[in-house]
Amino acid sequence: QVQLVASGGGLVQAGDSLRLSCAASGRTSSRYFMGWVRQAPGKEREFVAAINQSGGSPSYADSVKGRFTISRDNAKNMLYLQMNNLKPEDTAVYSCATDFDSSKRLFKYWGQGTQVTVSS
């Protein structure tokens, strides 16, 4: 069983940047796609970004494309999300995720999240 713990969230103003980190443990995370999902109050959890096992082929939700960058460091079992030019609509709990169904662009497992709040 994998454990995923996200950190790095906070309260920022529109236009600011944040870098989220995720520590993975419990299994060899480098064998799996990983990514980020988010859930805003009153809304369903949604896909944000994904990256393949070797750190290539990143994919993004249209709403964050060009502003967010996903990366991973397999030697450290870490996943990152650099978020630039944040907007109020980015406010959500962000969780790192694994077990990716690429046909549906859906992660099947996610861990403890971190709150990101963007004020206007």
Side-chain angles (χ1 to χ4, degrees):
Q1 182 74 322
V2 63
Q3 291 81 44
L4 303 172
V5 179
S7 61
L11 172 62
V12 298
Q13 294 186 332
D16 285 351
S17 298
L18 274 177
R19 188 194 194 206
L20 305 184
S21 300
C22 173
S25 62
R27 73 177 186 187
T28 307
S29 59
S30 61
R31 296 179 180 175
Y32 301 89
F33 265 76
M34 294 191 71
W36 294 90
V37 296
R38 68 184 182 186
Q39 187 168 22
K43 295 186 178 182
E44 293 187 355
R45 185 172 287 106
E46 64 175 355
F47 169 85
V48 175
I51 194 166
N52 72 11
Q53 294 90 330
S54 61
S57 301
S59 61
Y60 301 94
D62 289 343
S63 58
V64 307
K65 199 173 296 183
R67 300 188 296 122
F68 290 11
T69 302
I70 188 172
S71 62
R72 66 191 296 170
D73 184 338
N74 286 336
K76 297 180 179 179
N77 289 325
M78 295 293 293
L79 179 73
Y80 305 100
L81 186 68
Q82 177 67 42
M83 306 186 296
N84 297 329
N85 189 23
L86 282 160
K87 302 177 180 181
E89 51 264 42
D90 294 319
T91 295
V93 174
Y94 285 71
S95 302
C96 59
T98 190
D99 293 350
F100 188 53
D101 183 340
S102 58
S103 65
K104 299 179 181 179
R105 231 185 188 191
L106 185 70
F107 283 102
K108 299 178 182 178
Y109 178 81
W110 51 89
Q112 175 185 339
T114 185
Q115 176 72 46
V116 173
T117 303
V118 185
S119 63
S120 57

